[in-house]
Amino acid sequence: MDVALQALTVLAAIALGVRTKGLTVGLWGAAGVLVLVWVFGLPPGSVPTSAIFVIFAVVTAAGAMQAAGGIDYLVGIAQRVIRAHPNQVTFIAPYVAWLFATGAGTGFVYYSILPVIYEVAYGNKVRPERPMAIAPTASQMGITSSPVSSAMAIMVGLMAPLGFEITNILSIVLPSTAIAIGAAAFVQNKIGKPLDRDPVYQARLAAGEVTAPEPVDIGVASASAKRSTWIFGTGILLILAFGIFEGLRPVIPGADGPEPLAMTTMIQIIMLIVALVILLWCRTRSADVPRAQVFRSGMSAIIALWGVSWLANTFIAANEDSIVEGLGGIADNAPIFIAVALFIVAALTTSQSSATIAIIPIGITLGLEPWQLTAMWMAVIGLYTFPINGSQLATIELDATGSTRISRFVIYHSFTIGMLVMAVVSVLVGLGIGGIFYG
């Protein structure tokens, strides 16, 4: 009974955080920790300080890049790529959104290319729903593909003690996600009627509610904006190099003798230096970094991670035996249930990071292999189950044709099919790749 009440406390804290959204998810997590400690007498769990420090370092570097104009430069490149092949916008837009979110470590890039996707689709008589419903989903897949996203920082911190480094994670995630996006784009390209036979669009057109979108001005990026993206990109390449070639890392004293510096520490050092180089070489004001959208959203992610992970770790550490006993059989017979749990928690919290820190430690406790957990981790794309995310709402609002919409059933909407295809294909392909190379 105590364990059940503790679990309800955890779920209640998360639910209250979801209702208020943003950093309050973490604040409610701290309130849940207080209840677990004070009412149930549990010792406070650990806080993933390494993951928090990695996120802080990465968003500082990304904030410096944005302050220097680097994000705008990346958006300009994305816009040109999408316009170069207008008839294939349903296939190109999601890959562009994914690649740029992967490189920048944030899905905010999508907001800037959204008007271009709509303009190109409408101008070439492509049903806007097709590219517009899949591109934001693909950009969120970029969060689990990025070496410098907050969700990846958490995953690296959880997997590193198991000997599964960032390069191992990416070797599963990158090809799986690329294949999943292609499969989703193929399916999405068949969805919906052409606009000339869509009754919703025809009614809006007759009412004078639809006008051709104005071309979006890309603008010209400054030299410092371009330089900042190259500096940031170099930082990403260094992280990958140090992850692949362990011998490149500094050797420090360890419990069992000399050992390479941990990748979580290497990422912190590299990204903080990247931020410094951008500030100095691109002559960016340090005061502009905290004002950058990427930095502000990253700080919210840190607070959310702090509270939710503290709450989850407090509950899991105190009830490890009960969890293993209750779920161990399910994990042995059907380990895929971890993917389902990740999908559901991501849907409820609308956060890949929160779902990662809440469910992956349970999988570790149950003894699942790191490659299995990594493959199933991509199910966190379930955060698009309910049409309540900013990117979804912005997409629906922009599509004046009415083709991108929410049905009366709420959980079925324009983003549903693409999200489900990406979730299923990425997990299955990931399990296949992981089984071949690590099984």
Side-chain angles (χ1 to χ4, degrees):
M1 180 60 70
D2 274 355
V3 175
L5 290 174
Q6 292 166 27
L8 286 175
T9 299
V10 172
L11 293 175
I14 292 175
L16 288 168
V18 170
R19 286 179 63 87
T20 47
K21 297 184 179 181
L23 58 83
T24 51
V25 175
L27 302 182
W28 276 111
V33 172
L34 178 63
V35 174
L36 293 179
V37 172
W38 201 344
V39 177
F40 296 99
L42 304 186
S46 61
V47 176
T49 52
S50 292
I52 288 174
F53 292 153
V54 167
I55 296 172
F56 187 85
V58 168
V59 299
T60 300
M65 178 176 66
Q66 186 171 28
I71 296 290
D72 292 337
Y73 172 57
L74 289 175
V75 168
I77 296 175
Q79 291 174 345
R80 280 186 279 271
V81 173
I82 293 170
R83 285 187 172 134
H85 306 279
N87 293 325
Q88 300 299 318
V89 65
T90 304
F91 293 91
I92 292 175
Y95 276 113
V96 169
W98 172 60
L99 287 172
F100 281 83
T102 297
T106 174
F108 282 106
V109 175
Y110 166 74
Y111 287 97
S112 299
I113 64 174
L114 172 59
V116 178
I117 297 173
Y118 178 59
E119 172 203 330
V120 171
Y122 187 86
N124 290 272
K125 300 181 179 179
V126 175
R127 181 182 175 87
E129 177 190 28
R130 293 173 179 174
M132 292 178 72
I134 193 174
T137 315
S139 74
Q140 291 303 313
M141 292 294 283
I143 303 303
T144 48
S145 305
S146 175
V148 291
S149 71
S150 57
M152 181 63 78
I154 298 167
M155 195 64 175
V156 169
L158 294 171
M159 294 291 104
L162 306 178
F164 213 68
E165 299 284 2
I166 186 171
T167 48
N168 304 119
I169 297 172
L170 291 173
S171 68
I172 294 175
V173 170
L174 287 175
S176 301
T177 304
I179 293 170
I181 291 173
F186 177 81
V187 173
Q188 189 75 17
N189 203 39
K190 309 293 183 182
I191 289 177
K193 299 177 181 179
L195 290 181
D196 59 2
R197 291 192 283 115
D198 186 298
V200 174
Y201 168 69
Q202 292 299 324
R204 290 192 175 199
L205 189 65
E209 297 175 358
V210 182
T211 57
E214 294 291 333
V216 179
D217 182 19
I218 297 177
V220 179
S222 65
S224 61
K226 297 177 182 178
R227 197 179 303 126
S228 69
T229 61
W230 287 111
I231 297 169
F232 191 85
T234 301
I236 295 176
L237 292 177
L238 286 173
I239 289 171
L240 295 177
F242 283 115
I244 296 171
F245 304 106
E246 192 176 88
L248 295 177
R249 297 184 227 163
V251 176
I252 60 172
D256 300 319
E259 60 183 25
L261 188 64
M263 271 306 298
T264 50
T265 305
M266 282 300 307
I267 295 172
Q268 294 170 47
I269 293 172
I270 291 170
M271 296 313 292
L272 288 175
I273 291 175
V274 163
L276 176 63
V277 173
I278 290 175
L279 291 177
L280 295 178
W281 196 3
C282 301
R283 297 181 180 178
T284 304
R285 294 195 313 159
S286 59
D288 291 337
V289 176
R291 301 191 187 103
Q293 179 62 48
V294 173
F295 185 91
R296 296 201 305 270
S297 64
M299 291 302 101
S300 294
I302 286 175
I303 296 172
L305 167 62
W306 185 358
V308 172
S309 63
W310 202 5
L311 176 65
N313 289 344
T314 299
F315 173 71
I316 292 170
N319 299 285
E320 184 172 333
D321 293 340
S322 298
I323 292 172
V324 173
E325 181 180 348
L327 301 177
I330 300 176
D332 290 337
N333 297 320
I336 198 70
F337 96 96
I338 287 290
V340 176
L342 284 165
F343 186 95
I344 293 172
V345 174
L348 295 175
T349 63
T350 67
S351 168
Q352 297 106 318
S353 298
S354 297
T356 302
I357 201 63
I359 301 300
I360 293 297
I362 295 176
I364 294 172
T365 301
L366 296 175
L368 272 68
E369 294 292 333
W371 63 267
Q372 292 177 311
L373 293 173
T374 299
M376 291 186 283
W377 178 48
M378 289 173 281
V380 294
I381 193 58
L383 88 163
Y384 263 26
T385 300
F386 301 103
I388 56 176
N389 290 274
S391 54
Q392 291 170 301
L393 298 176
T395 302
I396 293 170
E397 180 67 23
L398 182 66
D399 186 0
T401 68
S403 65
T404 309
R405 50 191 179 234
I406 303 170
S407 76
R408 60 181 177 177
F409 301 106
V410 183
I411 62 170
Y412 182 76
H413 41 79
S414 291
F415 309 90
T416 302
I417 293 177
M419 174 197 66
L420 291 175
V421 172
M422 285 190 202
V424 172
V425 173
S426 62
V427 170
L428 293 179
V429 173
L431 288 171
I433 293 173
I436 292 172
F437 292 100
Y438 301 106

